[in-house]
Amino acid sequence: MTRWMDEEAGPVVRPYVLIGGRTRSSGDTLDLVAMVTATGTPPTGKFVPGPEQERILSLVAQATSVADVASDLDLPLGVVRVLLGDLQDHKLISIGRASASERILKEVINGLWAL
């Protein structure tokens, strides 16, 4: 059996495996510039954060934008939104609104994409 390997990164795991093949979650509406902050609440029930979600929780100990989380994890935005949605559903993160300057930046980015 052939193993797919990236010499630097180790075994290749497709992003959809990280999210159990799901493409939708409550995180779908998260804006790129929305600020994510860990609540510090321990997981309850049967939910156990995966390694990527644990990394997210450490990244967002201080408010961090959704775009920065995706960049830091080097994962597609859709995958990160699903992971964030799960964390939000279990009250492990809170989502804040972007400030006025971030809103302006978002409008500039959207305008650039429209070009």
Side-chain angles (χ1 to χ4, degrees):
M1 177 165 93
T2 303
R3 280 186 60 176
W4 289 39
M5 297 276 293
D6 177 325
E7 294 302 320
E8 293 180 16
V12 176
V13 177
R14 300 218 183 263
Y16 66 82
V17 173
L18 298 174
I19 55 177
R22 295 174 296 141
T23 58
R24 300 271 182 231
S25 82
S26 63
D28 288 348
T29 59
L30 292 177
D31 195 15
L32 284 174
V33 295
M35 300 305 286
V36 182
T37 308
T39 62
T41 304
T44 58
K46 295 181 181 183
F47 179 73
V48 177
E52 290 76 19
Q53 290 168 320
E54 289 288 347
R55 185 144 180 244
I56 289 170
L57 290 171
S58 67
L59 287 170
V60 301
Q62 295 183 9
T64 306
S65 72
V66 172
D68 285 335
V69 171
S71 175
D72 288 346
L73 291 177
D74 196 26
L75 288 173
L77 182 60
V79 171
V80 171
R81 281 182 170 152
V82 171
L83 295 172
L84 289 171
D86 291 346
L87 292 172
Q88 184 179 24
D89 292 346
H90 290 90
K91 299 181 182 8
L92 300 177
I93 60 171
S94 63
I95 308 296
R97 296 187 132 174
S99 67
S101 61
E102 289 170 320
R103 245 185 322 209
I104 292 169
L105 179 59
K106 178 186 171 194
E107 290 177 24
V108 169
I109 290 170
N110 288 339
L112 291 172
W113 277 109
L115 294 175

